[in-house]
Amino acid sequence: MKRLTSLAMAAALALAAGSGAAQAQQNDITVAMQLEPPHLDPTAGAAGAIDSVVYSNIFEGLTRFQSDGTIAPGLAESWDISDDGLEYTFKLRDGVTFHDGSDMNAEDVKFSLDRARAEDSVNAQKALFAGISDVTVVDPLTVKITLAEPDGMFLFNMAWGDAVIVAEDNIDSIKTDPIGTGAFKFTDWVQGDRIDMERNPDYWGEPAKLDKATFKFISDPTAAFAAVMAEDVDAFVGFPAPENLPQFEADPRFQVLVGSTEGETVLAMNNKQEPFDDIRVREAVAHAIDRQTIIDGAMFGYGTPIGTHFAPHNPAYVDLTDLSAYDPAKSRELLAEAGLPDGFKTTLHLPPPSYARRGGEIIAAQLAQVGIQAEIINVEWAQWLESVFNGKNFGLTIVSHTEPMDIGIYARPDYYFQYDSKDFQDVMATLARTTDPAQRTDLLKQAQTIIAEDYVNVWLFELAFPTIANAKLRGIWENQPTQATDLTGVSWAE
């Protein structure tokens, strides 16, 4: 009888040990984020939420961003640059396949880059590819890219999500059934709820440590808090309710990461719409805004004030916040000089993120103090992209530009805020031809100063990026050198 009891106890202990091992070996993850992407083709959309899901996980480029913002080889294992800086010859990795089993080769690179730079391209960053004059297939694993002029940012630009390599055979269905070369394969999209993916067993590089990953979309900050507290999700990247961070920090179940981003959060003005076509009006708007009040009120203190379109962590950053310091009296004087002593009415389009919706209420109140009546119009991302970004049908809007080193957007007169400055365009053209680091830094400082003195937009703050994660998760990116939730190195601690 004792022997049976001992065996039973041993079996029970073995079951308990097995249960503990199974728990320790959890190999899937559910990651929540606030915004759902409109589709899943990063080469045909401006929404950062696309890259947040697919960058590195599903799609890859010739080069790639690492978590610290440095550039590493991607689908290209190496490259040679001609002495004149005009020819880049990329050696592609051997044995890379798309998720459908087809080979990835130089023809795919040519197709992807030619598509991105074509006249009818819908790539949101088409300007990144404008300097390419030719893409030549040398052999299946070698591609030569010829530039019209030297471009010191070319390898950096090839790491953007907009420059990932796609296959021509799958391009018609890429928005809803993305087939890339990444460490995860797309499996399902329940729109309005989640996107599922699984580990790619045929990945060319170090395989993902997780078997499955789910991106869940929770737009409401209150629901986001409840989901994390109930442990319905394993991580929430870009957590939308910063007021809750102290509560999570005090809870041993969680880790709180507050990283830096490339997200310049701006109150954008339509520079070709009256009265914003008058620099005095734009400057008046700038002086009507108290940045710190917005950071404190909308972001609960998380965010770094900025006075131009550049990340403060970049060594070339210039602090120009004094040019647009909070000064309501000066704002009223400038409006009077512009013939608007009683102010004016305009629209303020606010997309879903908390920084916009919460910040917009504060900004509208501050503008009203100097006589500017801003009608708040809340829009979903699809509406914002259609009416504001593409249609340019707005007076004011708030958005965070999360693309890396994207000051070049101010050299595009047809960009949504419609700024057109030959001086700025000349500086950026010179920058593109310059490879000397010191000279590039000087040109970047000139560029920052020009747009600040032209009061193109009101630069509010550099967006902080809070992530709440299970305390046992390892490998989650803290910072956002590009808008991405790279799960390729994420694992659970034993």
Side-chain angles (χ1 to χ4, degrees):
M1 195 70 178
K2 283 184 179 179
R3 178 174 172 77
L4 287 171
T5 303
S6 297
L7 287 171
M9 288 180 65
L13 287 170
L15 283 170
S19 174
Q23 186 175 14
Q25 293 168 3
Q26 178 177 348
N27 221 18
D28 62 350
I29 189 174
T30 299
V31 178
M33 48 191 280
Q34 188 178 25
L35 302 177
E36 181 175 16
H39 59 76
L40 299 177
D41 179 6
T43 67
I50 302 173
D51 279 358
S52 289
V53 172
V54 305
Y55 186 87
S56 191
N57 299 321
I58 293 177
F59 290 111
E60 301 173 298
L62 294 173
T63 59
R64 60 168 294 176
F65 290 108
Q66 300 189 102
S67 61
D68 62 358
T70 56
I71 303 299
L75 294 176
E77 64 179 12
S78 63
W79 49 82
D80 293 314
I81 307 173
S82 63
D83 292 340
D84 61 7
L86 294 179
E87 292 182 356
Y88 286 71
T89 303
F90 290 92
K91 186 67 176 176
L92 305 180
R93 298 184 189 275
D94 195 4
V96 178
T97 59
F98 286 100
H99 297 151
D100 63 358
S102 61
D103 290 336
M104 191 288 300
N105 56 41
E107 292 288 354
D108 298 302
V109 175
K110 177 175 173 57
F111 167 74
S112 299
L113 297 182
D114 283 350
R115 173 174 173 259
R117 67 192 185 98
E119 186 175 344
D120 61 351
S121 169
V122 293
N123 193 297
Q125 302 298 335
K126 184 178 177 180
L128 294 179
F129 312 94
I132 298 175
S133 61
D134 185 61
V135 182
T136 303
V137 173
V138 178
D139 61 49
L141 294 178
T142 310
V143 62
K144 182 174 71 175
I145 300 174
T146 304
L147 306 181
E149 294 181 327
D151 184 354
M153 292 290 288
F154 184 67
L155 293 173
F156 184 92
N157 293 343
M158 290 299 98
W160 282 47
D162 307 81
V164 297
I165 304 306
V166 295
E168 184 174 9
D169 289 345
N170 306 311
I171 204 65
D172 292 338
S173 59
I174 187 174
K175 289 187 175 182
T176 55
D177 184 18
I179 294 177
T181 59
F184 289 94
K185 299 168 63 174
F186 169 83
T187 56
D188 191 26
W189 183 3
V190 180
Q191 295 199 5
D193 182 29
R194 69 182 191 276
I195 289 173
D196 298 319
M197 54 186 74
E198 63 184 15
R199 186 170 64 89
N200 175 13
D202 302 315
Y203 185 56
W204 60 265
E206 183 176 349
K209 298 175 176 64
L210 300 167
D211 288 337
K212 294 182 179 181
T214 294
F215 283 89
K216 191 165 183 64
F217 309 110
I218 305 174
S219 60
D220 179 68
T222 302
F225 174 77
V228 177
M229 287 298 290
E231 296 183 85
D232 293 335
V233 299
D234 301 308
F236 203 119
V237 295
F239 187 74
E243 66 272 21
N244 296 138
L245 297 189
Q247 189 168 347
F248 290 119
E249 289 170 339
D251 192 324
R253 294 179 298 162
F254 305 110
Q255 55 182 309
V256 177
L257 309 173
V258 181
S260 63
T261 74
E262 290 287 324
E264 290 81 31
T265 306
V266 305
L267 173 65
M269 294 180 272
N270 192 335
N271 281 229
K272 282 194 174 178
Q273 182 185 95
E274 292 183 351
F276 303 111
D277 56 349
D278 187 326
I279 188 174
R280 295 170 297 184
V281 173
R282 298 197 301 272
E283 183 178 356
V285 172
H287 287 300
I289 303 303
D290 184 349
R291 294 183 182 89
Q292 195 59 51
T293 295
I294 297 163
I295 294 171
D296 292 341
M299 306 305 296
F300 292 83
Y302 294 96
T304 304
I306 55 173
T308 189
H309 199 103
F310 218 68
H313 56 255
N314 191 298
Y317 175 72
V318 184
D319 185 356
L320 297 168
T321 50
D322 285 349
L323 279 177
S324 51
Y326 180 53
D327 189 343
K330 186 170 184 178
S331 179
R332 294 187 196 94
E333 290 174 10
L334 287 162
L335 288 173
E337 287 178 21
L340 298 167
D342 299 322
F344 61 93
K345 293 181 179 179
T346 188
T347 57
L348 176 57
H349 285 70
L350 303 178
S354 299
Y355 66 75
R357 296 281 171 89
R358 293 176 174 182
E361 297 285 347
I362 299 169
I363 284 173
Q366 291 180 350
L367 292 174
Q369 293 299 311
V370 299
I372 301 172
Q373 304 300 320
E375 177 193 358
I376 289 178
I377 302 173
N378 291 329
V379 292
E380 296 306 310
W381 267 120
Q383 295 173 282
W384 188 90
L385 290 167
E386 181 180 357
S387 62
V388 177
F389 189 80
N390 292 322
K392 305 175 181 64
N393 181 26
F394 74 103
L396 301 169
T397 190
I398 300 175
V399 70
S400 191
H401 288 261
T402 53
E403 297 84 4
M405 277 286 283
D406 61 347
I407 193 170
I409 58 179
Y410 290 81
R412 307 180 201 170
D414 62 343
Y415 204 65
Y416 77 98
F417 41 71
Q418 302 191 92
Y419 170 64
D420 191 353
S421 165
K422 186 177 184 306
D423 288 344
F424 184 85
Q425 291 158 17
D426 288 346
V427 168
M428 296 309 294
T430 304
L431 177 68
R433 297 190 298 267
T434 303
T435 56
D436 179 75
Q439 293 178 20
R440 287 184 61 82
T441 294
D442 182 62
L443 288 163
L444 284 168
K445 289 181 176 180
Q446 289 182 44
Q448 293 172 63
T449 303
I450 290 172
I451 59 174
E453 291 179 344
D454 279 349
Y455 296 93
V456 183
N457 293 318
V458 183
W459 295 279
L460 303 172
F461 55 88
E462 198 73 11
L463 190 67
F465 193 80
T467 292
I468 317 298
N470 186 293
K472 294 180 180 179
L473 272 180
R474 301 290 181 266
I476 290 276
W477 279 16
E478 178 174 357
N479 298 318
Q480 288 274 288
T482 188
Q483 190 155 337
T485 311
D486 186 342
L487 300 179
T488 58
V490 172
S491 63
W492 288 93
E494 294 293 332

